[in-house]
Amino acid sequence: MVKSSLRIAVLECDEPIGRTKEKYGGYGNLFKELLENGAKRVAEQDDDVELGLDVTKYDVVKHEVYPDLDNIDAVLLTGSRYNSYDNDPWILKLVEFTKKVLAQQRVLLIGVCFGHQIVGRAMGVKVALSDRGWEVSVTPVQLTAKGKDLFKVEELAIHQMHRDIVYEFPEGVESLGHSPRCDVQGMYIKHRLVTVQGHPEFTGDIVAELLDSRHERGIFDDAMYEDGMKRVRKPHDGIAVGAAFIRFLLERYRSA
């Protein structure tokens, strides 16, 4: 029996808009729900797991507060509307903190969308605007053998909302998958880190609200908006990714 209580610090790199903010407050609560649902799936699939989660949230944009690594087991970096390659003071501070996490061996690292890109930047690879355009709504990701093993699906359907990408894999990183518009859809190092470019925490309602907002502001033209809305309610594997995050966190206990 694997018994564990995981202390996970969620670094909130942005805040939701509109109805999503009213429902969840902050992105930390969205990820708490994702991780809890992922833990339930892992427990359903494996009777040998007894797991508790202690999820804490840190606003790294407005308040620039960070956890003490001695008091946590993992750090999760959320998505954001901001550019991961910009040099705003809070972004530079986040990159330096991520390097600090990478420099030690105990605390594990999870990155999602912007967070995935920050991990790439902290590891020294190019992160920039994609020359292939936006990825939005539920999108199929072709998985590598490691991706299939980790996510427990043959092809990953996941919400996307990005135009920035990690251009290459850092040294020592395993690829988890790719799509036509993004070669680096996920990164993995056993007992160290896992990242995804997509948004496992998002739902159709959340993405529909983002599509509406960006269409109204002229960020998305009619064609992109309509294409995104056609796919926004498609089934997606968000909980499968949440379960993969939990399995990743448990790997160390299983091998101990």
Side-chain angles (χ1 to χ4, degrees):
M1 171 71 71
V2 177
K3 293 185 179 181
S4 179
S5 179
L6 297 172
R7 301 167 298 172
I8 305 168
V10 176
L11 306 191
E12 296 179 308
C13 304
D14 202 353
E15 60 182 9
I17 64 171
R19 296 183 301 277
T20 305
K21 186 173 183 179
E22 290 175 7
K23 181 175 181 179
Y24 292 99
Y27 280 125
N29 291 326
L30 257 176
F31 277 100
K32 183 174 186 292
E33 181 178 276
L34 174 72
L35 292 167
E36 287 174 345
N37 287 332
K40 288 177 185 175
R41 178 166 294 188
V42 170
E44 289 168 358
Q45 295 172 343
D46 189 344
D47 293 335
D48 198 37
V49 173
E50 187 176 307
L51 179 64
L53 297 178
D54 177 10
V55 179
T56 52
K57 293 149 267 187
Y58 297 82
D59 182 341
V60 299
V61 183
K62 292 180 180 178
H63 302 298
E64 297 188 32
V65 290
Y66 287 84
D68 182 337
L69 294 185
D70 290 337
N71 297 327
I72 58 173
D73 301 305
V75 171
L76 188 154
L77 284 66
T78 74
S80 177
R81 80 191 83 173
Y82 301 104
N83 298 322
S84 57
Y85 47 82
D86 281 349
N87 292 318
D88 296 21
W90 76 266
I91 294 177
L92 294 177
K93 187 174 180 179
L94 178 62
V95 172
E96 288 306 308
F97 180 81
T98 304
K99 289 179 179 179
K100 180 180 175 182
V101 178
L102 290 166
Q104 53 78 66
Q105 297 297 314
R106 189 185 65 81
V107 177
L108 303 174
L109 186 59
I110 300 172
V112 172
C113 195
F114 173 90
H116 157 85
Q117 296 162 15
I118 289 292
V119 173
R121 178 175 179 177
M123 297 184 78
V125 297
K126 178 182 177 182
V127 180
L129 191 70
S130 172
D131 57 6
R132 304 182 202 173
W134 285 90
E135 273 191 317
V136 301
S137 276
V138 178
T139 301
V141 172
Q142 268 61 85
L143 297 175
T144 62
K146 172 51 68 176
K148 293 175 183 179
D149 178 62
L150 187 64
F151 299 122
K152 307 302 182 191
V153 295
E154 287 299 305
E155 181 180 82
L156 189 71
I158 189 168
H159 276 293
Q160 304 276 1
M161 187 57 65
H162 74 102
R163 188 171 55 167
D164 300 334
I165 60 170
V166 178
Y167 269 81
E168 58 192 297
F169 290 97
E171 184 177 353
V173 164
E174 287 188 72
S175 167
L176 294 178
H178 67 275
S179 68
R181 293 195 175 186
C182 180
D183 294 333
V184 184
Q185 281 285 352
M187 304 188 293
Y188 173 84
I189 300 177
K190 188 174 183 179
H191 296 170
R192 294 299 304 118
L193 66 87
V194 62
T195 72
V196 291
Q197 177 56 70
H199 282 278
E201 80 283 14
F202 278 180
T203 65
D205 287 343
I206 293 170
V207 176
E209 185 172 36
L210 289 170
L211 289 168
D212 285 340
S213 173
R214 294 182 179 191
H215 183 233
E216 289 168 3
R217 289 184 288 148
I219 298 171
F220 294 162
D221 62 20
D222 291 347
M224 183 179 297
Y225 171 73
E226 290 166 7
D227 176 59
M229 289 300 286
K230 286 178 184 175
R231 291 179 284 110
V232 77
R233 304 292 177 185
K234 285 191 172 185
H236 66 93
D237 296 309
I239 294 178
V241 177
F245 289 166
I246 296 297
R247 282 191 291 269
F248 161 74
L249 296 174
L250 288 172
E251 280 177 349
R252 179 176 295 164
Y253 294 94
R254 291 184 181 280
S255 62

